[in-house]
């Protein structure tokens, strides 16, 4: 089904703008005339597209009127590279976690108001936890959500969650901002987070933060299992293993743990 009307016009404009940006990236620098020829559009159309790209920071005008890729395009490329590096570092560690614990391991990243799952290695249990890649977990009722937010400032946490009350998926769900902030302080103190049947009865999750080379939390690594297997007695062992694994991924991304005081 083809797009029509205003939406169709918007899609065509976006397609043309991306084509111009791609041509600009390939040439590094180019004049309006050259770009128009590359994308097979009129000079007036390409001029309007370039004006928008310049205004948004995706292109800039250099000496002599030649255009080149702008800083925002570089930021997008850097984000892609960082995501690719994260997955490359995480996969072997996640497989090792599954070998050790025999439960599914997940990797999530912060996206707007949710924690989005970007990688999974399934366990080998007959009954195992499965998460759809690209699915979002609620920040207030997931181990990965807590691990992602625990090291952010209060204003950012409040902006992402809102004032509440938050949905109560189970009787264990945290539904107020004050209760959530108290929980985040506990996460920071112990170095890992838990979803103790807060999203689904009978399911526990242990999660730990993954940091980049600058020490920023860029992802959360987690293991989820039925409470019959991830019992309260097993939580310390799972927490220690998932924390060590998250630190291994962080080191692969360039993070250096702080020196221990003597």
């Amino acid at each position: 089904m083809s797009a029509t009307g205003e939406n169709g016009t918007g899609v065509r404009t976006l397609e043309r703008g991306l084509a111009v940006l791609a041509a600009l990236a390939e040439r590094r620098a180019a004049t309006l005339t050259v770009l128009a020829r590359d994308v097979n559009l009129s000079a007036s159309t390409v001029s309007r597209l370039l004006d928008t790209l310049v205004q948004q920071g995706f292109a800039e005008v250099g000496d002599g009127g030649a255009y080149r890729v702008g800083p925002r395009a570089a930021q997008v490329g850097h984000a892609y590279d960082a995501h690719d590096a994260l997955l490359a570092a995480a996969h072997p560690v996640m497989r090792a976690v599954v070998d050790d614990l025999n439960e599914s391991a997940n990797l999530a990243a912060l996206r707007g108001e949710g924690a989005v799952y970007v990688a999974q290695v399934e366990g080998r249990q007959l009954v195992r936890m499965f998460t759809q890649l690209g699915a979002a977990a609620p920040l207030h009722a997931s181990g990965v959500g807590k691990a992602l937010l625990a090291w952010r400032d209060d204003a950012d946490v409040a902006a992402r969650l809102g004032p509440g009350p938050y949905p109560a998926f189970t009787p264990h769900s945290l539904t107020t901002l004050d209760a959530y902030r108290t929980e985040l302080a506990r996460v920071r103190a112990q170095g890992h987070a838990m979803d103790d049947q807060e999203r689904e009865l009978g399911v526990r999750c242990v999660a730990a933060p993954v940091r980049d080379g600058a020490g920023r939390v860029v992802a959360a690594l987690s293991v989820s299992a039925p409470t019959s297997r991830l019992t309260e007695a097993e939580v310390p062992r799972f927490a220690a293993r998932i924390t060590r694994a998250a630190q291994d991924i962080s080191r692969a991304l360039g993070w250096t743990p702080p020196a221990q005081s003597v």
Side-chain angles (χ1 to χ4, degrees):
M1 183 171 63
S2 60
T4 59
E6 185 177 339
N7 288 341
T9 301
V11 170
R12 285 193 298 273
T13 301
L14 176 60
E15 290 175 343
R16 290 173 173 179
L18 291 173
V20 171
L21 186 58
L24 193 57
E26 184 174 348
R27 287 193 174 270
R28 302 292 183 180
T31 63
L32 170 61
T33 302
V34 170
L35 288 171
R37 185 175 66 243
D38 284 351
V39 298
N40 197 29
L41 293 172
S42 69
S44 60
T45 298
V46 173
S47 178
R48 290 194 298 271
L49 294 170
L50 284 168
D51 285 344
T52 300
L53 291 171
V54 169
Q55 290 169 8
Q56 297 299 318
F58 286 96
E60 57 188 20
V61 185
D63 296 335
Y67 292 88
R68 59 176 180 249
V69 172
R72 286 198 68 188
Q75 290 171 2
V76 172
H78 176 72
Y80 178 83
D81 289 343
H83 177 76
D84 201 42
L86 172 64
L87 296 185
H91 274 297
V93 176
M94 293 171 69
R95 287 194 292 268
V97 167
V98 172
D99 287 342
D100 289 348
L101 300 179
N102 202 23
E103 301 290 354
S104 298
N106 296 289
L107 188 72
L110 190 61
R111 300 288 187 271
E113 298 177 356
V116 175
Y117 292 103
V118 297
Q120 180 181 66
V121 176
E122 289 188 55
R124 293 177 295 275
Q125 300 278 7
L126 183 61
V127 177
R128 57 187 182 272
M129 309 310 299
F130 174 79
T131 299
Q132 184 72 39
L133 293 185
L139 294 172
H140 75 284
S142 63
V144 290
K146 295 174 187 177
L148 288 166
L149 290 188
W151 285 268
R152 290 179 173 264
D153 61 46
D154 283 349
D156 189 9
V157 172
R160 291 180 185 276
L161 267 69
Y166 314 126
F169 298 103
T170 77
H172 304 284
S173 300
L174 302 175
T175 59
T176 68
L177 184 57
D178 285 344
Y180 192 72
R181 283 174 170 159
T182 299
E183 177 70 4
L184 294 188
R186 183 180 300 111
V187 172
R188 288 190 296 272
Q190 62 192 14
H192 68 270
M194 279 198 65
D195 160 12
D196 193 356
Q197 304 185 78
E198 295 163 44
R199 189 180 182 193
E200 184 178 351
L201 290 175
V203 176
R204 282 196 179 96
C205 167
V206 182
V210 173
R211 300 177 184 275
D212 65 8
R216 296 168 297 205
V217 175
V218 294
L221 181 67
S222 71
V223 170
S224 299
T227 53
S228 58
R229 295 198 301 260
L230 182 43
T231 63
E232 291 185 3
E234 283 279 48
V235 166
R237 181 172 73 92
F238 274 65
R241 183 65 184 92
I242 206 70
T243 299
R244 187 168 76 251
Q247 291 175 347
D248 288 343
I249 300 171
S250 301
R251 289 189 184 92
L253 296 176
W255 175 71
T256 301
Q260 297 290 332
S261 58
V262 180

